[in-house]
Amino acid sequence: QVQLVESGGGLVQAGDSLRLSCAASGRANSDYNMAWFRQAPGKEREFVAGFGQSGGSTIYADSVKGRFTISRDNAKNTVYLQMSSLKPEDTAVYYCAADRYYYGKELNMFDYFGQGTQVTVSS
């Protein structure tokens, strides 16, 4: 099993940048495919970005492509989401996710989630 703890959320203005962190414990995050999801008020949780277990491949939602970057530091057992050019519509609770076997965008395929961190972007 793996435990995930997100941090780094906050209140920023449109156009600002923010970096989220997801610290994994229990097993090395290099054993897992990692992802970020987000959930805005009144909306379903949606995929944001993913990082593959092997080969370092990445995938992004179209809405964040070119603005967000997912990365991982295996030595620190941490996954990051660097967010730039933030927009009010990026406002949401951001969740880190992990799965040993699945690499993709489907929420229900991930076994582990963190508790989330709030990101609020003001206009």
Side-chain angles (χ1 to χ4, degrees), residues 15-93:
D16 284 352
S17 297
L18 200 61
R19 190 179 77 162
L20 305 182
S21 300
C22 171
S25 61
R27 287 187 69 116
N29 73 359
S30 59
D31 291 341
Y32 292 84
N33 299 297
M34 304 296 294
W36 287 94
F37 287 81
R38 67 185 181 186
Q39 188 167 18
K43 295 188 177 182
E44 295 185 350
R45 196 173 297 189
E46 65 175 5
F47 173 82
V48 175
F51 197 109
Q53 175 188 46
S54 60
S57 59
T58 57
I59 49 175
Y60 295 94
D62 288 342
S63 59
V64 307
K65 204 171 293 183
R67 299 189 299 123
F68 291 10
T69 302
I70 187 172
S71 61
R72 70 197 299 169
D73 184 334
N74 289 338
K76 296 182 178 180
N77 238 16
T78 300
V79 174
Y80 302 99
L81 184 67
Q82 178 67 48
M83 305 184 293
S84 303
S85 301
L86 282 162
K87 306 175 182 180
E89 50 263 44
D90 294 319
T91 295
V93 178

